[in-house]
Amino acid sequence: MKQHPTQSGQSMTEVVVPLAVITTGFLAVGAMIVPAARTTQGGLARLQATFIAEEGIEAVRSIRNAGFADVSPGVHGLQVTDGRFEFVDGSDSEDQFTRSVEVVDLDVSTKQVTSIVVWDTYGLHEEVRLVTELTDR
């Protein structure tokens, strides 16, 4: 009598199919992680821009407290000199953010202040705009 050798181990199909399923699962998880990371980074940038815009409003309040006449109409940047905020021409930048503060006279004792912060995230132009009115106390 002739004996047939027994085969032990797994066939190629038994190895390839589970490997393909696992690989597909990893790719799906990776496809979900990348947009989530971008969303998180975009949210953090928007939060930082909001803080910078709010700082612009608070800086103009500080300038107003020193003298209402110093809050001149126009588009300004901000800088700190000797511990005090002051207007500079144009805009100012911090990291990837550019801020400008627009002051408009509404009447003799009221000014509208708009603090605008712009930046780019993944090729998209983003903007935060905060508006308030200041009076001569």
Side-chain angles (χ1 to χ4, degrees):
M1 286 194 154
K2 213 180 200 189
Q3 283 190 300
H4 295 288
T6 60
Q7 291 183 345
S8 63
Q10 298 175 340
S11 72
M12 185 65 92
T13 305
E14 291 173 325
V15 172
V16 170
V17 170
L19 193 58
V21 170
I22 290 171
T23 301
T24 302
F26 283 138
L27 290 173
V29 169
M32 291 186 299
I33 289 174
V34 170
R38 283 187 175 181
T39 299
T40 300
Q41 187 176 9
L44 290 174
R46 180 165 293 284
L47 181 63
Q48 188 175 359
T50 302
F51 285 139
I52 293 169
E54 183 62 35
E55 179 188 51
I57 298 289
E58 293 300 322
V60 177
R61 280 193 181 108
S62 176
I63 293 169
R64 186 257 336 247
N65 291 343
F68 191 70
D70 295 335
V71 183
S72 57
V75 178
H76 311 283
L78 295 164
Q79 73 179 16
V80 178
T81 303
D82 297 328
R84 301 180 88 171
F85 281 104
E86 64 183 18
F87 290 132
V88 295
D89 290 335
S91 59
D92 60 276
S93 295
E94 181 178 327
D95 297 326
Q96 72 205 47
F97 305 97
T98 302
R99 172 180 57 203
S100 59
V101 177
E102 180 181 8
V103 178
V104 176
D105 287 335
L106 297 180
D107 59 41
V108 181
S109 62
T110 308
K111 298 181 187 272
Q112 179 178 331
V113 179
T114 306
S115 182
I116 304 163
V117 177
V118 296
W119 73 101
D120 289 326
T121 302
Y122 300 109
L124 297 174
H125 183 74
E126 303 277 353
E127 176 180 293
V128 169
R129 180 181 296 253
L130 300 179
V131 180
T132 192
E133 291 182 6
L134 299 179
T135 60
D136 188 9
R137 300 185 203 207

Tab-separated table of all heavy atoms in Angstrom, residues 60-88:
chain	number	residue	atom	x	y	z
A	60	VAL	N	-7.491	98.338	22.066
A	60	VAL	CA	-8.123	99.624	21.732
A	60	VAL	C	-8.813	100.200	22.970
A	60	VAL	O	-8.771	101.414	23.199
A	60	VAL	CB	-9.096	99.480	20.544
A	60	VAL	CG1	-9.799	100.801	20.260
A	60	VAL	CG2	-8.349	99.005	19.302
A	61	ARG	N	-9.391	99.357	23.797
A	61	ARG	CA	-9.960	99.849	25.063
A	61	ARG	C	-8.867	100.489	25.922
A	61	ARG	O	-9.079	101.529	26.546
A	61	ARG	CB	-10.609	98.704	25.836
A	61	ARG	CG	-11.970	98.347	25.360
A	61	ARG	CD	-12.693	97.419	26.350
A	61	ARG	NE	-13.996	97.090	25.817
A	61	ARG	CZ	-14.333	95.900	25.331
A	61	ARG	NH1	-13.479	94.895	25.378
A	61	ARG	NH2	-15.546	95.700	24.851
A	62	SER	N	-7.710	99.856	25.949
A	62	SER	CA	-6.589	100.391	26.722
A	62	SER	C	-6.145	101.751	26.170
A	62	SER	O	-5.882	102.684	26.933
A	62	SER	CB	-5.422	99.399	26.684
A	62	SER	OG	-4.303	99.915	27.329
A	63	ILE	N	-6.082	101.859	24.844
A	63	ILE	CA	-5.717	103.134	24.218
A	63	ILE	C	-6.788	104.185	24.544
A	63	ILE	O	-6.482	105.333	24.869
A	63	ILE	CB	-5.549	102.965	22.693
A	63	ILE	CG1	-4.335	102.067	22.407
A	63	ILE	CG2	-5.410	104.310	21.996
A	63	ILE	CD1	-4.208	101.609	20.960
A	64	ARG	N	-8.060	103.786	24.476
A	64	ARG	CA	-9.159	104.694	24.823
A	64	ARG	C	-9.049	105.176	26.263
A	64	ARG	O	-9.273	106.346	26.558
A	64	ARG	CB	-10.503	103.980	24.619
A	64	ARG	CG	-11.743	104.838	24.793
A	64	ARG	CD	-12.552	104.722	26.085
A	64	ARG	NE	-12.475	103.544	26.853
A	64	ARG	CZ	-13.470	102.684	27.043
A	64	ARG	NH1	-14.618	102.853	26.425
A	64	ARG	NH2	-13.316	101.654	27.848
A	65	ASN	N	-8.690	104.284	27.177
A	65	ASN	CA	-8.580	104.660	28.587
A	65	ASN	C	-7.480	105.689	28.815
A	65	ASN	O	-7.561	106.498	29.727
A	65	ASN	CB	-8.349	103.429	29.456
A	65	ASN	CG	-9.569	102.532	29.510
A	65	ASN	OD1	-10.677	102.939	29.177
A	65	ASN	ND2	-9.355	101.287	29.909
A	66	ALA	N	-6.448	105.663	27.965
A	66	ALA	CA	-5.375	106.657	28.062
A	66	ALA	C	-5.811	108.000	27.481
A	66	ALA	O	-5.316	109.044	27.886
A	66	ALA	CB	-4.119	106.158	27.354
A	67	GLY	N	-6.735	107.971	26.520
A	67	GLY	CA	-7.232	109.209	25.911
A	67	GLY	C	-8.107	108.887	24.720
A	67	GLY	O	-7.633	108.286	23.750
A	68	PHE	N	-9.368	109.278	24.775
A	68	PHE	CA	-10.326	108.960	23.710
A	68	PHE	C	-9.858	109.504	22.359
A	68	PHE	O	-10.071	108.869	21.327
A	68	PHE	CB	-11.704	109.502	24.075
A	68	PHE	CG	-12.806	109.006	23.176
A	68	PHE	CD1	-13.215	107.690	23.219
A	68	PHE	CD2	-13.445	109.883	22.296
A	68	PHE	CE1	-14.231	107.233	22.397
A	68	PHE	CE2	-14.464	109.431	21.480
A	68	PHE	CZ	-14.868	108.101	21.524
A	69	ALA	N	-9.213	110.633	22.358
A	69	ALA	CA	-8.739	111.234	21.104
A	69	ALA	C	-7.647	110.388	20.442
A	69	ALA	O	-7.426	110.487	19.234
A	69	ALA	CB	-8.219	112.643	21.366
A	70	ASP	N	-6.978	109.528	21.229
A	70	ASP	CA	-5.930	108.662	20.671
A	70	ASP	C	-6.484	107.514	19.839
A	70	ASP	O	-5.746	106.857	19.114
A	70	ASP	CB	-5.060	108.087	21.801
A	70	ASP	CG	-4.281	109.161	22.528
A	70	ASP	OD1	-4.020	110.225	21.925
A	70	ASP	OD2	-3.934	108.938	23.706
A	71	VAL	N	-7.794	107.261	19.941
A	71	VAL	CA	-8.437	106.206	19.154
A	71	VAL	C	-8.833	106.828	17.819
A	71	VAL	O	-9.976	107.255	17.615
A	71	VAL	CB	-9.657	105.611	19.899
A	71	VAL	CG1	-10.261	104.471	19.089
A	71	VAL	CG2	-9.264	105.123	21.283
A	72	SER	N	-7.873	106.891	16.927
A	72	SER	CA	-8.070	107.589	15.652
A	72	SER	C	-8.715	106.676	14.614
A	72	SER	O	-8.432	105.475	14.562
A	72	SER	CB	-6.738	108.114	15.131
A	72	SER	OG	-5.820	107.050	15.004
A	73	PRO	N	-9.585	107.234	13.780
A	73	PRO	CA	-10.221	106.439	12.730
A	73	PRO	C	-9.183	105.908	11.748
A	73	PRO	O	-8.154	106.539	11.509
A	73	PRO	CB	-11.161	107.426	12.031
A	73	PRO	CG	-11.284	108.587	12.950
A	73	PRO	CD	-10.042	108.611	13.781
A	74	GLY	N	-9.449	104.741	11.194
A	74	GLY	CA	-8.566	104.150	10.198
A	74	GLY	C	-8.340	102.678	10.475
A	74	GLY	O	-8.920	102.092	11.379
A	75	VAL	N	-7.458	102.090	9.663
A	75	VAL	CA	-7.083	100.685	9.820
A	75	VAL	C	-5.686	100.653	10.404
A	75	VAL	O	-4.761	101.258	9.852
A	75	VAL	CB	-7.141	99.939	8.473
A	75	VAL	CG1	-6.700	98.492	8.648
A	75	VAL	CG2	-8.548	99.998	7.885
A	76	HIS	N	-5.547	99.957	11.513
A	76	HIS	CA	-4.300	99.975	12.265
A	76	HIS	C	-3.823	98.564	12.599
A	76	HIS	O	-4.615	97.643	12.688
A	76	HIS	CB	-4.478	100.720	13.599
A	76	HIS	CG	-5.140	102.042	13.492
A	76	HIS	ND1	-4.483	103.160	13.036
A	76	HIS	CD2	-6.416	102.429	13.776
A	76	HIS	CE1	-5.315	104.192	13.058
A	76	HIS	NE2	-6.495	103.768	13.498
A	77	GLY	N	-2.524	98.471	12.843
A	77	GLY	CA	-1.943	97.326	13.525
A	77	GLY	C	-1.688	97.759	14.956
A	77	GLY	O	-1.912	98.920	15.314
A	78	LEU	N	-1.194	96.845	15.776
A	78	LEU	CA	-0.923	97.157	17.177
A	78	LEU	C	0.481	96.714	17.545
A	78	LEU	O	0.986	95.725	17.022
A	78	LEU	CB	-1.929	96.446	18.086
A	78	LEU	CG	-3.376	96.879	17.955
A	78	LEU	CD1	-4.291	95.854	18.602
A	78	LEU	CD2	-3.576	98.250	18.559
A	79	GLN	N	1.076	97.464	18.451
A	79	GLN	CA	2.346	97.045	19.031
A	79	GLN	C	2.389	97.519	20.473
A	79	GLN	O	1.656	98.429	20.854
A	79	GLN	CB	3.542	97.574	18.244
A	79	GLN	CG	3.804	99.057	18.403
A	79	GLN	CD	5.025	99.511	17.611
A	79	GLN	OE1	5.491	98.803	16.725
A	79	GLN	NE2	5.523	100.680	17.908
A	80	VAL	N	3.232	96.890	21.254
A	80	VAL	CA	3.408	97.278	22.647
A	80	VAL	C	4.720	98.021	22.773
A	80	VAL	O	5.772	97.529	22.367
A	80	VAL	CB	3.403	96.042	23.576
A	80	VAL	CG1	3.646	96.447	25.015
A	80	VAL	CG2	2.101	95.275	23.440
A	81	THR	N	4.649	99.242	23.327
A	81	THR	CA	5.833	100.050	23.571
A	81	THR	C	5.786	100.519	25.021
A	81	THR	O	4.786	101.111	25.445
A	81	THR	CB	5.876	101.274	22.622
A	81	THR	OG1	5.819	100.809	21.271
A	81	THR	CG2	7.142	102.084	22.822
A	82	ASP	N	6.846	100.236	25.748
A	82	ASP	CA	6.912	100.605	27.172
A	82	ASP	C	5.699	100.105	27.945
A	82	ASP	O	5.137	100.817	28.790
A	82	ASP	CB	7.063	102.126	27.337
A	82	ASP	CG	8.357	102.655	26.748
A	82	ASP	OD1	9.366	101.906	26.781
A	82	ASP	OD2	8.368	103.791	26.254
A	83	GLY	N	5.249	98.888	27.624
A	83	GLY	CA	4.147	98.284	28.351
A	83	GLY	C	2.766	98.788	27.981
A	83	GLY	O	1.794	98.461	28.655
A	84	ARG	N	2.678	99.597	26.915
A	84	ARG	CA	1.378	100.141	26.502
A	84	ARG	C	1.141	99.842	25.025
A	84	ARG	O	2.059	99.895	24.220
A	84	ARG	CB	1.346	101.651	26.715
A	84	ARG	CG	1.599	102.039	28.162
A	84	ARG	CD	1.557	103.500	28.314
A	84	ARG	NE	0.161	103.833	28.573
A	84	ARG	CZ	-0.249	105.027	28.932
A	84	ARG	NH1	0.611	106.017	29.034
A	84	ARG	NH2	-1.513	105.255	29.175
A	85	PHE	N	-0.116	99.573	24.703
A	85	PHE	CA	-0.474	99.365	23.300
A	85	PHE	C	-0.502	100.697	22.580
A	85	PHE	O	-0.869	101.717	23.150
A	85	PHE	CB	-1.866	98.725	23.182
A	85	PHE	CG	-1.879	97.254	23.429
A	85	PHE	CD1	-2.346	96.749	24.633
A	85	PHE	CD2	-1.428	96.363	22.465
A	85	PHE	CE1	-2.380	95.390	24.868
A	85	PHE	CE2	-1.451	95.004	22.691
A	85	PHE	CZ	-1.924	94.511	23.892
A	86	GLU	N	-0.102	100.645	21.291
A	86	GLU	CA	-0.228	101.809	20.430
A	86	GLU	C	-0.510	101.340	19.011
A	86	GLU	O	-0.199	100.205	18.637
A	86	GLU	CB	1.020	102.695	20.483
A	86	GLU	CG	2.278	102.036	19.971
A	86	GLU	CD	3.512	102.928	20.102
A	86	GLU	OE1	3.487	103.897	20.871
A	86	GLU	OE2	4.491	102.641	19.412
A	87	PHE	N	-1.140	102.225	18.241
A	87	PHE	CA	-1.430	101.918	16.849
A	87	PHE	C	-0.174	102.031	16.000
A	87	PHE	O	0.679	102.882	16.247
A	87	PHE	CB	-2.476	102.889	16.285
A	87	PHE	CG	-3.862	102.692	16.838
A	87	PHE	CD1	-4.594	103.774	17.287
A	87	PHE	CD2	-4.453	101.439	16.875
A	87	PHE	CE1	-5.881	103.611	17.770
A	87	PHE	CE2	-5.738	101.270	17.359
A	87	PHE	CZ	-6.459	102.361	17.813
A	88	VAL	N	-0.083	101.173	14.981
A	88	VAL	CA	0.934	101.278	13.931
A	88	VAL	C	0.197	101.201	12.596
A	88	VAL	O	-0.954	100.756	12.531
A	88	VAL	CB	2.007	100.161	14.036
A	88	VAL	CG1	2.820	100.303	15.311
A	88	VAL	CG2	1.397	98.778	13.954
